[in-house]
Amino acid sequence: MSSDRDEARSDHAAQRRERAVERRERHRVRGRALDVETIVETALRIADEQGVEAVSMRRIASELRVGTMSLYHHVADKDELLELMADTVSAELLVPGEILGDWREALRQIAHRTHDAFLRHPWLIDTAGARPLVTPNALRHVEQSVAIVVGLDVDRETAIAMVMATDDYTIGHVFRQSRFGSSARPVATEQDRDRVRDLLATGEFPHLTRVFARDGILVPPPATFETGLEWLFDGMQAVLDARRG
């Protein structure tokens, strides 16, 4: 009887150890402890691949093979998660190190980093009115941009307008490209193309017919962003030259 009890106690102890190991493993992901960075990385991957609406605490927990409640030890709720996601992406807008060159080259670098980041994370456009606009890295992005123009011979309003115009143009271009594509990555379907051809055939759009009839869809050339950005900077330079003249 004593040996039976000892064996039972030994079995219970072994089961407790196994459960303890399982609990520890549930809080580890790919060989490292579950943390905020891992949760945010997983949320970003889901949002980039399937849209931000696919992101949920349950989905993230499933991807990481942990219990859903374990996530709440690191992130309070989805609102906080969305803020952390936005702040992480905002870090991609920052030009590392010292920005070299004149104001034009410096703003060009920031514009390209912003353009590329928004294309990598198309859900940023969809959540523009829902996610927090002010995060530490978002302010660092603005700080870096303002630092470029603050020393120019312009008033405060003009300096801010230069920064905002660059951001507005860049994000506006991303919006159009994400919705309508480019010649390199067209989004239009064959049904869209057929509808454009039918409308052009009515004769109501002679100028569009002349320019786009061959392709049958309104697709901008891939160099639109760079060209438009230089035109924008040309306008800014004209303002600077007028003040110096």
Side-chain angles (χ1 to χ4, degrees):
M1 292 293 293
S2 175
S3 62
D4 290 341
R5 286 196 297 271
D6 291 341
E7 184 176 349
R9 282 196 295 269
S10 177
D11 288 342
H12 288 315
Q15 291 173 5
R16 286 197 300 272
R17 287 194 297 271
E18 289 178 2
R19 287 195 294 270
V21 170
E22 290 175 357
R23 285 195 298 270
R24 288 196 297 271
E25 288 302 317
R26 282 199 297 268
H27 288 272
R28 301 187 67 83
V29 182
R30 298 187 184 94
R32 66 178 183 180
L34 179 65
D35 54 21
V36 173
E37 182 181 357
T38 302
I39 295 170
V40 173
E41 286 176 357
T42 304
L44 285 174
R45 177 171 53 78
I46 295 171
D48 293 343
E49 294 174 355
Q50 302 178 34
V52 73
E53 65 279 356
V55 177
S56 68
M57 302 300 261
R58 179 175 296 182
R59 171 67 184 279
I60 295 170
S62 176
E63 292 277 336
L64 297 177
R65 298 181 181 179
V66 299
T68 303
M69 293 307 297
S70 65
L71 302 182
Y72 291 101
H73 293 294
H74 306 279
V75 180
D77 50 33
K78 187 173 179 180
D79 287 339
E80 182 181 7
L81 177 61
L82 191 60
E83 180 174 352
L84 292 170
M85 291 167 64
D87 190 57
T88 300
V89 173
S90 292
E92 299 178 23
L93 276 56
L94 300 173
V95 177
E98 183 181 0
I99 302 181
L100 303 177
D102 61 7
W103 68 267
R104 188 165 181 149
E105 173 57 26
L107 286 182
R108 185 184 295 115
Q109 291 183 52
I110 290 179
H112 276 278
R113 289 189 71 88
T114 302
H115 188 263
D116 293 345
F118 270 72
L119 285 181
R120 282 194 299 270
H121 309 287
W123 54 272
L124 287 172
I125 295 292
D126 299 329
T127 60
R131 59 184 168 80
L133 294 177
V134 179
T135 69
N137 281 322
L139 286 184
R140 292 184 184 106
H141 163 65
V142 177
E143 171 73 13
Q144 192 173 60
S145 301
V146 171
I148 293 168
V149 300
V150 73
L152 298 176
D153 183 23
V154 294
D155 54 42
R156 173 182 176 275
E157 288 72 20
T158 302
I160 293 175
M162 291 174 68
V163 171
M164 297 303 294
T166 304
D167 256 3
D168 290 347
Y169 169 75
T170 301
I171 296 173
H173 189 278
V174 172
F175 174 81
R176 189 194 56 202
Q177 188 167 335
S178 66
R179 291 298 184 269
F180 305 108
S182 67
S183 59
R185 294 191 307 172
V187 176
T189 65
E190 190 57 39
Q191 184 179 7
D192 295 327
R193 294 177 183 274
D194 290 340
R195 181 159 177 76
V196 171
R197 293 189 189 99
D198 290 343
L199 289 170
L200 294 181
T202 65
E204 184 181 349
F205 311 99
H207 300 296
L208 291 179
T209 300
R210 179 183 177 185
V211 175
F212 296 107
R214 183 178 61 184
D215 296 327
I217 194 66
L218 308 183
V219 177
T224 298
F225 177 68
E226 289 78 8
T227 301
L229 189 62
E230 296 310 312
W231 288 344
L232 179 65
F233 291 158
D234 286 345
M236 295 179 184
Q237 187 64 61
V239 172
L240 296 176
D241 292 342
R243 292 181 64 91
R244 294 170 185 150

